[in-house]
Amino acid sequence: MQDNTKFYNKRPFHVAVIVFSIVADQLTKLWAVARFTDEAGNFTYEKIPVIGELVRFQLVYNKGAAFSSRPQDLMPFLPPWLFFLLISIVAAFALAWFYKSIDKRDYLSRLGVVMILGGAVGNFIDRMRMQMVVDFIDCDFPDFIMTRFPTFNVADSFVTVGVALVILSPVILRKLHKQIKEEKDIKEKRIDENQKVSS
C-alpha cells in the first residue's frame, strides 16, 4: 500500500524539527551569553533594540521554572536539578504517548507536539548544564495587560507555537476532526455490539 502522507507529517521531518529547535535554541543562547557578558562572565546590562522598544535583546538568567516560578516552592524536599529531571522525564513520556495517540491525518497536532518536545529539551539542557535557563528575547506588551512580557528564548517560542497548533488544530482542521470523531464513535459502537453478542 502506497504511503501518501506528506513529508511534513512523517517522522523523519518531525525528528528534524526537534533537532533544529534544539540546535537553534542552544546556538542563540551561546550567542546571547557571549554578547551580553564580559570576559569575566559579568553582565554588561546592555540592551539591543530589534524593533525599537517593542522587541529587544537582553540577557536574563531564569533559575526557576516557567515564568520564574521556583521548584523549591512546589517540592522543597527535592534539589532543583532532580525536580527538573523528573518533571522532564514525565513530560517527555506524556508527549510521546500523546503523539502516538494522535490520528496520523492530524498533521497540525503532530507537528505541535514535536515542537513542544524540542523546546522542552532545549530548556532542559540549560537546567542540567547550568541549573538555570538563558533568556534573552524581551517584548513589550500593551500596558493595560502588563508592562513587558517575561523575557524568553527560542525554546519557549517553539513550545508556545506548538501549544497553539495543538489548540487550533480542531478549528483549522474542523472537517477532519469531525470525521475522526465519527469514525471513533462507529468503532466504539461496534465494540459495544460485539461485547453484547458475546455475552
Side-chain angles (χ1 to χ4, degrees), residues 15-77:
V15 171
V17 170
I18 293 173
V19 172
F20 173 78
S21 66
I22 295 170
V23 172
D25 175 64
Q26 291 298 304
L27 287 178
T28 53
K29 286 172 178 174
L30 288 173
W31 169 83
V33 172
R35 181 65 178 78
F36 295 104
T37 57
D38 58 24
E39 293 180 356
N42 300 313
F43 276 75
T44 61
Y45 297 100
E46 185 181 358
K47 297 176 183 178
I48 300 178
V50 179
I51 307 177
E53 288 297 301
L54 183 63
V55 180
R56 64 192 186 191
F57 291 154
Q58 65 170 338
L59 181 63
V60 175
Y61 289 129
N62 179 5
K63 296 183 179 181
F67 297 104
S68 300
S69 59
R70 288 158 36 95
Q72 299 91 322
D73 298 334
L74 301 173
M75 294 184 178
F77 52 88

Side-chain angles (χ1 to χ4, degrees), residues 15-175:
V15 171
V17 170
I18 293 173
V19 172
F20 173 78
S21 66
I22 295 170
V23 172
D25 175 64
Q26 291 298 304
L27 287 178
T28 53
K29 286 172 178 174
L30 288 173
W31 169 83
V33 172
R35 181 65 178 78
F36 295 104
T37 57
D38 58 24
E39 293 180 356
N42 300 313
F43 276 75
T44 61
Y45 297 100
E46 185 181 358
K47 297 176 183 178
I48 300 178
V50 179
I51 307 177
E53 288 297 301
L54 183 63
V55 180
R56 64 192 186 191
F57 291 154
Q58 65 170 338
L59 181 63
V60 175
Y61 289 129
N62 179 5
K63 296 183 179 181
F67 297 104
S68 300
S69 59
R70 288 158 36 95
Q72 299 91 322
D73 298 334
L74 301 173
M75 294 184 178
F77 52 88
L78 287 179
W81 71 267
L82 183 56
F83 170 86
F84 287 121
L85 176 62
L86 293 175
I87 203 72
S88 297
I89 291 173
V90 171
F93 274 104
L95 287 169
W97 174 84
F98 184 37
Y99 177 87
K100 286 180 124 183
S101 69
I102 298 172
D103 189 287
K104 289 186 177 181
R105 293 167 291 180
D106 185 4
Y107 61 90
L108 284 182
S109 293
R110 283 161 60 87
L111 179 58
V113 170
V114 298
M115 291 183 72
I116 295 170
L117 181 58
V121 171
N123 283 334
F124 172 74
I125 292 172
D126 278 23
R127 292 191 175 103
M128 292 298 102
R129 186 168 62 91
M130 304 184 300
Q131 287 75 55
M132 55 188 175
V133 174
V134 176
D135 292 328
F136 65 95
I137 305 172
D138 179 24
C139 295
D140 196 6
F141 235 72
D143 290 340
F144 64 89
I145 299 177
M146 61 179 72
T147 305
R148 296 191 75 85
F149 193 77
T151 310
F152 59 98
N153 54 46
V154 172
D156 297 331
S157 301
F158 271 87
V159 171
T160 302
V161 173
V163 170
L165 288 177
V166 173
I167 293 173
L168 292 175
S169 178
V171 178
I172 298 173
L173 304 176
R174 186 173 65 253
K175 290 182 179 179

Side-chain angles (χ1 to χ4, degrees), residues 171-198:
V171 178
I172 298 173
L173 304 176
R174 186 173 65 253
K175 290 182 179 179
L176 174 61
H177 279 264
K178 183 180 179 182
Q179 181 183 345
I180 293 172
K181 184 178 183 306
E182 289 173 351
E183 291 173 358
K184 184 178 178 181
D185 291 341
I186 292 171
K187 185 177 180 180
E188 290 177 352
K189 186 177 179 181
R190 286 176 180 170
I191 293 173
D192 291 340
E193 289 175 350
N194 291 335
Q195 288 176 345
K196 288 179 182 178
V197 170
S198 60

